[in-house]
Amino acid sequence: MSHRIVFGATGLKVSPVCFGTWQLSPRFWGAQPEGDLLAAMQAAFDHGINFYDTAEAYGDGLAETVLGKFLRCVPRDQVVVATKVFNHFNPDASRYPDLSRAYVTERCELSLKRLGVETIDIYLLHFFDPLTPLAEITGTLTTLKRQGKIRHFGASNFTTEQFRAARRLGAYDVMQPPYSLIEFGIENDLLPYCETENVGVMVYSPMHKGLLTGKYHGGETFEDFRRSHPDFQGERFRQLCAGVQSLRPLAGKYGLTVYQLVLAATLMHPAIHVAVVGIKNAAQIREAVGAMGRSLEREDYFAIRGAIAGGGHKKMKDATGKVK
């Protein structure tokens, strides 16, 4: 039986691990073999994943197009699809924010066509547009929902107050914020708000762009956008990697990999329903699936957070309480 949770007020039954497609953004991750991604999408479905997240901005329509090829191979009623809108795309590849009524209406039609579906299950505002009135944006989304082109709508990358304001105007039932055990500031405001309002929360980058997977040791260099990210440079990168590597004994206690341990811990937060994971091949999705439905002891949960926050310099206790 596949593991499912009720996704907040949407009522949708989804897998707590969602297949993310940001890796189909060449400008961030470089070119990815389409065949590998399609095979990974199928492997995810075969292993109980029914939730797929994409965005028009990922490869300027490329991710939606590739996901659409996969969706034609599986029963439509067995998958939940989320996509996002925000950018006005120019012929010269430049872009700017545009959530105006006419533009969102136009882009929704293009997303439907690329995905090859009649209805988008979850339609998200990718970022906050400071120029378009929230009432206009909400009116557009409400119209698209009434027309049957989208089932539910929400937002990504909004602050707590931006999201609170939007929800005063319409049924924004989903939030997609960045969150990891390295960057967890939204625990102070956005997550408590979403929890009390029964908002479906799907966090992205829970593995902090790969840093929390356990595959790095601190000496690696990167050719993608991480080559200029401060968490992947110098002493900070080495310390974070040491903290992650120090989790191996604890992962062994639960019969999990470090990746699975961190993902399971992330999903334990009561406000977080779903973790969106970036997958490049079938082996990675099989590993991610192993974290679904796993629970950790409270002491171990906080030991994980302490080890990561301490960059490997905080000692962890083993199951007997001895400092290791």
Side-chain angles (χ1 to χ4, degrees):
M1 181 72 177
S2 298
H3 192 73
R4 298 285 182 264
I5 52 95
V6 177
F7 194 41
T10 71
L12 295 170
K13 294 181 179 179
V14 300
S15 52
V17 169
C18 174
F19 190 109
T21 60
W22 182 35
Q23 65 274 30
L24 279 163
S25 291
R27 71 194 185 105
F28 287 101
W29 296 100
Q32 303 295 327
E34 182 178 305
D36 290 354
L37 268 296
L38 286 169
M41 290 174 186
Q42 184 63 52
F45 182 78
D46 294 341
H47 285 81
I49 302 296
N50 76 332
F51 198 3
Y52 293 79
D53 174 73
T54 189
E56 185 180 42
Y58 300 166
D60 297 359
L62 174 63
E64 287 184 332
T65 300
V66 174
L67 182 58
K69 293 179 180 179
F70 160 73
L71 292 175
R72 288 193 286 273
C73 301
V74 294
R76 176 65 184 95
D77 63 352
Q78 293 185 27
V79 291
V80 174
V81 179
T83 192
K84 297 178 278 293
V85 62
F86 178 70
N87 292 290
H88 191 115
F89 299 96
N90 293 321
D92 65 356
S94 64
R95 54 178 72 180
Y96 57 86
D98 191 349
L99 292 178
S100 63
R101 185 184 307 277
Y103 198 68
V104 170
T105 302
E106 170 193 313
R107 302 318 291 184
C108 183
E109 291 291 345
L110 290 172
S111 289
L112 286 165
K113 186 175 297 184
R114 284 190 289 260
L115 290 166
V117 299
E118 294 183 358
T119 304
I120 295 166
D121 298 303
I122 299 171
Y123 202 44
L124 301 174
L125 307 175
H126 208 155
F127 293 91
F128 185 80
D129 175 2
L131 195 58
T132 308
L134 273 173
E136 177 183 332
I137 298 169
T138 307
T140 305
L141 295 173
T142 303
T143 297
L144 291 171
K145 183 175 180 178
R146 187 175 62 248
Q147 293 171 342
K149 294 177 180 177
I150 64 177
R151 293 177 67 187
H152 305 278
F153 56 85
S156 181
N157 299 299
F158 275 37
T159 66
T160 306
E161 289 307 314
Q162 288 168 345
F163 193 52
R164 191 193 307 271
R167 283 177 50 80
R168 293 190 66 175
L169 299 171
Y172 289 83
D173 290 333
V174 177
M175 167 53 72
Q176 188 186 69
Y179 175 89
S180 74
L181 298 184
I182 292 175
E183 290 186 353
F184 47 84
I186 61 170
E187 290 179 352
N188 296 325
D189 39 44
L190 184 60
L191 288 184
Y193 173 72
C194 289
E195 183 181 354
T196 58
E197 294 292 311
N198 196 27
V199 172
V201 175
M202 51 190 298
V203 298
Y204 72 85
S205 291
M207 308 312 292
H208 202 71
K209 305 164 186 65
L211 202 155
L212 292 173
T213 61
K215 63 182 178 181
Y216 300 121
H217 294 270
E220 295 84 358
T221 57
F222 300 87
E223 296 302 318
D224 52 41
F225 76 101
R226 291 175 292 184
R227 67 180 178 271
S228 58
H229 193 293
D231 287 349
F232 291 82
Q233 311 296 319
E235 185 59 23
R236 175 158 175 79
F237 180 46
R238 287 189 288 273
Q239 289 184 0
L240 285 169
C241 287
V244 176
Q245 291 300 326
S246 74
L247 297 174
R248 291 196 178 280
L250 190 54
K253 169 184 171 180
Y254 287 94
L256 300 172
T257 65
V258 169
Y259 180 115
Q260 291 169 331
L261 183 78
V262 171
L263 191 53
T266 300
L267 288 168
M268 283 179 64
H269 192 292
I272 296 174
H273 297 84
V274 172
V276 182
V277 297
I279 298 297
K280 296 179 181 177
N281 57 61
Q284 290 176 335
I285 193 63
R286 285 194 291 269
E287 183 175 20
V289 166
M292 293 198 300
R294 298 300 298 266
S295 185
L296 312 175
E297 295 175 15
R298 175 180 287 264
E299 182 179 10
D300 291 337
Y301 170 83
F302 286 107
I304 293 165
R305 296 192 62 146
I308 293 171
H313 297 301
K314 290 188 177 180
K315 298 295 184 179
M316 290 175 54
K317 293 180 180 179
D318 64 16
T320 66
K322 294 179 179 178
V323 175
K324 302 174 71 174

